[in-house]
Amino acid sequence: MDLRRLRAGEWITAVAGLVLLASLFQPWYGPGDATAWEAFSVTDLVLAAVGLVAVAVLVVTAAYAVPALPLALDSLLALAALVALGFALVAAGSLPDGADSREWGLWQGLAGVVAVNAGAWIAMRDQRLSKPGRPTDLSGRPVPDHPEVEQVPAPDPRGAASS
């Protein structure tokens, strides 16, 4: 596991995923301080899945040397986080039966979903291409310059045919 491979997008996504997961256990609606687990039947599961995948992005990026799997996971997370944002906006816009107020856990969850979206899009966009004259490996770390290749003239085609 190489933590130097982690970029800003992965860190934002993972921290936001933890915030989102923690918000599910905080009060979302009053009176009675109903948590997301008590107030929803499907929305809480979607939000929990997105929070877990957001944390998994950090682990997968640090564990795999090849960027294909982390980029694929970033892409899928960005799509799932958009769906979760829709669920969170509906949860913020309407009160469930028996609730008369919105509590701070709802706003924490909404902020977590927005931040997961931002982190996933930032992680997808950051490709770490090498700048001219400064070669890097797949993680963006500088590597030694490549050795000069010896230029060898091409063989004379007439000489090969006359032999």
Side-chain angles (χ1 to χ4, degrees), residues 3 7 20 27 29 39 66 71 79 83 86 97 109 119 121 127 134 138 148:
L3 296 180
R7 301 166 296 185
L20 177 59
Y29 299 106
V66 178
L71 285 175
L79 181 61
V83 172
D97 293 336
W121 287 98
Q127 294 287 322
R134 186 181 166 257
L138 294 174
E148 287 296 320

Side-chain angles (χ1 to χ4, degrees), residues 95-161:
L95 292 173
D97 293 336
D100 62 1
S101 66
R102 293 168 183 85
E103 300 295 328
W104 63 275
L106 170 68
W107 306 117
Q108 179 184 352
L110 186 59
V113 171
V114 169
V116 166
N117 269 293
W121 287 98
I122 290 169
M124 277 194 320
R125 190 190 68 180
D126 187 6
Q127 294 287 322
R128 297 273 173 114
L129 298 175
S130 298
K131 296 177 182 167
R134 186 181 166 257
T136 61
D137 63 6
L138 294 174
S139 69
R141 288 178 286 171
V143 295
D145 288 337
H146 300 291
E148 287 296 320
V149 177
E150 178 183 350
Q151 298 291 329
V152 178
D156 185 13
R158 293 171 293 183

Side-chain angles (χ1 to χ4, degrees), residues 34-136:
T35 66
W37 299 111
E38 298 164 347
F40 304 118
S41 58
V42 175
T43 301
D44 55 348
L45 298 175
V46 171
L47 295 176
V50 167
L52 289 172
V53 172
V55 173
V57 164
L58 181 109
V59 175
V60 168
T61 303
Y64 287 90
V66 178
L69 184 61
L71 285 175
L73 193 57
D74 284 333
S75 302
L76 292 174
L77 177 62
L79 181 61
L82 283 175
V83 172
L85 181 60
F87 277 97
L89 289 172
V90 168
S94 62
L95 292 173
D97 293 336
D100 62 1
S101 66
R102 293 168 183 85
E103 300 295 328
W104 63 275
L106 170 68
W107 306 117
Q108 179 184 352
L110 186 59
V113 171
V114 169
V116 166
N117 269 293
W121 287 98
I122 290 169
M124 277 194 320
R125 190 190 68 180
D126 187 6
Q127 294 287 322
R128 297 273 173 114
L129 298 175
S130 298
K131 296 177 182 167
R134 186 181 166 257
T136 61

